[in-house]
């Protein structure tokens, strides 16, 4: 299960995306996500999917890793699809008593599923190609103007990156608890889906407890290194923008313009 979680992990391939400034990647990601909010027609979805696939190829990370990273959210994707298929009103295709499946429901369900998949893949590209500390540094630089309003930018950036980095750590703890239960003769993953969902509920208590322990250990480690509020701290590697960064930023804006044009044209 741990190997299927891509958010929070970093894989070094030396690709052009790895060499980009973290500020460029964060700003470009924000621009592209804005464009994804305009998705409505089939052509716009095809363009958005092609854009995400192109970024995955540029990262030089095997595509099977991205596909494998979607397995943990299959239940969420299925629930989203069937929820819209059954709830949305429109032209009824088939019905079972009070449950009706409509054409509009199937379309809306497919659209929402594709949007979720594209967003997950985009976030995975960002974390897989950027080191956590570098990502925190880039986010801190982007939010630096807010420090004039007494916003704790340094602490907020570190908190966001640690939260992302904790995702695979929590999954490792979950795997450890499941293996411990399996060694005692209780295999949760061997149960059928309905029973498996309820079987995970008692696991949440030890998982929550170990997560709090890790958070306390991390807090003590940060205090022991004298991090404080993070203000005024310098970095060994200074961030600098290159021509590739400007080209990547302009490409993200260009992609947003294309999505807006497709939306207006239709």
């Amino acid at each position: 299960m741990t190997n299927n979680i891509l958010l929070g992990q970093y894989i070094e391939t030396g690709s052009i995306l790895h060499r980009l400034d973290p500020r460029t990647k964060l700003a470009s990601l924000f621009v592209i996500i804005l464009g994804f909010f305009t998705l409505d027609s089939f052509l716009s979805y095809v363009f958005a999917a092609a854009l995400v696939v192109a970024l995955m190829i540029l990262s030089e990370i095997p595509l099977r890793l991205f596909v494998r990273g979607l397995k943990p959210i299959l239940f969420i994707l299925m629930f989203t699809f069937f929820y819209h298929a059954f709830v949305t009103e429109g032209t009824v295709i088939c019905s079972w008593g009070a449950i009706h499946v409509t054409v509009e429901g199937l379309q809306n369900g497919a659209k929402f599923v594709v949007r979720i998949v594209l967003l997950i893949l985009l976030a995975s590209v960002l974390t897989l190609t950027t080191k956590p500390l570098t990502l925190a540094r880039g986010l801190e630089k982007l939010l630096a103007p807010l420090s004039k309003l007494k916003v704790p930018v340094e602490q907020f950036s570190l908190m966001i990156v640690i939260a992302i980095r904790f995702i695979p750590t929590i999954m490792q703890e979950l795997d450890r608890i499941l293996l411990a239960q399996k060694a005692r003769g209780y295999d949760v993953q061997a149960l059928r889906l309905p029973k498996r969902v309820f079987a995970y509920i008692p696991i949440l208590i030890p998982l929550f407890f170990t997560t709090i322990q890790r958070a306390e250990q991390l807090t003590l480690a940060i205090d022991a290194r004298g991090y404080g509020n993070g203000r005024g701290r310098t970095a060994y590697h200074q961030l600098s923008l290159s021509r590739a960064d400007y080209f990547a930023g302009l490409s993200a804006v260009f992609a947003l313009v294309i999505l807006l044009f497709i939306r207006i044209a239709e």
Side-chain angles (χ1 to χ4, degrees), residues 154-256:
E154 296 82 3
Q155 299 178 30
F156 176 76
S157 303
L158 184 63
M159 178 187 66
I160 294 298
V161 175
I162 289 177
I164 297 175
R165 183 62 186 86
F166 251 62
I167 295 176
T169 302
I170 294 175
M171 298 308 299
Q172 289 177 356
E173 290 293 337
L174 179 60
D175 283 344
R176 186 178 64 83
I177 295 173
L178 292 177
L179 288 175
Q181 288 193 343
K182 188 175 182 179
R184 293 174 175 84
Y186 184 67
D187 189 1
V188 177
Q189 297 180 349
L191 300 175
R192 293 184 179 181
L193 185 59
K195 294 183 179 180
R196 189 189 309 173
V197 173
F198 290 102
Y200 275 110
I201 296 178
I203 299 176
L204 296 178
I205 297 176
L207 180 62
F208 185 70
F209 180 74
T210 55
T211 302
I212 292 178
Q213 282 186 328
R214 283 186 173 270
E216 290 179 348
Q217 294 172 359
L218 181 60
T219 301
L220 292 175
I222 293 176
D223 291 338
R225 289 164 174 78
Y227 184 81
N229 58 12
R231 291 186 177 181
R233 295 184 64 88
T234 59
Y236 180 75
H237 295 286
Q238 297 296 324
L239 301 179
S240 60
L241 298 176
S242 62
R243 292 182 179 178
D245 292 298
Y246 290 109
F247 178 77
L250 291 175
S251 300
V253 174
F254 183 66
L256 174 61

Side-chain angles (χ1 to χ4, degrees), residues 46 58 72 89 99 116 125 132 175 178 210 229 237 258-259 263:
V46 171
L58 288 176
E89 297 181 356
I99 300 177
I116 294 175
V125 170
D175 283 344
L178 292 177
T210 55
N229 58 12
H237 295 286
I258 293 179
L259 289 174
R263 180 63 181 268

